[in-house]
Amino acid sequence: MLKKEIEKILNDNNVILFNYTANKHNIKIVVDTIDGIDINMITKISNQIKNSNIVNFEYPKGVRVEVSSPGLDQPLQKRFQYKRNINKKIKVFLKNKDEINNPIIGVINIVNDDNILIENKNGFFKLMFDQIEKSFLQIEINK
């Protein structure tokens, strides 16, 4: 019931749920949007959850609500995250551990419905989404 209420709040704000955990003292959710989420939307979502009748019923003594966006330590999970990060460096781990080029580190060049094209010094790599185990953005520090 609580998760459904949170999902409704998120849907009403065009926000996508990535992770949800709740216990007797805390509600933690990780959210994002197609265009990227900002602190104002995170604050709005947090306040709507705190002020929800269901949350107040489930937690009459109060609850700590933590709303955040996926950090750099979190893997990319949705296609829109790849699209939003075209021309950024990525490290992709493939499901097939025997693949010679595993992981592949390069720049996201193209994102399609079922694959991505990554470019690095060795050329272009077309990867189907179902080949990807996990992938992370890579931090580049300009010199």
Side-chain angles (χ1 to χ4, degrees):
M1 194 157 102
L2 177 61
K3 186 175 180 185
K4 291 212 181 294
E5 176 68 11
I6 290 171
E7 288 172 337
K8 181 185 180 319
I9 291 168
L10 297 177
N11 286 337
D12 290 348
N13 288 283
N14 295 315
V15 174
I16 299 160
L17 179 64
F18 278 73
N19 193 18
Y20 163 88
T21 58
N23 60 37
K24 60 183 179 178
H25 302 292
N26 299 298
I27 298 171
K28 295 181 183 182
I29 63 171
V30 178
V31 296
D32 205 352
T33 67
I34 291 174
D35 297 321
I37 195 159
D38 63 22
I39 191 67
N40 293 327
M41 180 57 75
I42 287 174
T43 301
K44 178 181 176 184
I45 296 293
S46 180
N47 289 333
Q48 287 179 345
I49 291 170
K50 284 180 190 175
N51 295 325
S52 162
N53 289 333
I54 292 174
V55 170
N56 290 323
F57 176 77
E58 295 281 334
Y59 298 93
K61 294 182 180 181
V63 65
R64 178 180 177 161
V65 176
E66 296 178 34
V67 180
S68 65
S69 62
L72 286 175
D73 62 333
Q74 297 295 308
L76 301 181
Q77 297 179 23
K78 309 279 185 188
R79 285 177 177 82
F80 75 82
Q81 291 178 297
Y82 290 89
K83 287 182 181 181
R84 191 172 66 209
N85 288 292
I86 287 176
N87 296 320
K88 293 192 179 164
K89 193 172 187 180
I90 189 172
K91 184 174 190 177
V92 179
F93 295 88
L94 303 174
K95 290 178 182 174
N96 181 356
K97 304 294 186 210
D98 296 329
E99 186 73 34
I100 293 171
N101 296 311
N102 192 12
I104 296 173
I105 299 174
V107 175
I108 301 172
N109 195 292
I110 297 172
V111 179
N112 294 310
D113 288 340
D114 59 354
N115 65 71
I116 61 173
L117 188 66
I118 295 177
E119 180 181 7
N120 67 20
K121 65 183 178 190
N122 298 320
F124 291 91
F125 296 87
K126 181 179 179 181
L127 303 173
M128 304 303 286
F129 282 111
D130 62 4
Q131 291 178 285
I132 298 172
E133 179 182 353
K134 59 185 173 184
S135 55
F136 298 88
L137 290 176
Q138 298 293 287
I139 300 171
E140 290 190 290
I141 300 173
N142 295 330
K143 297 179 182 178

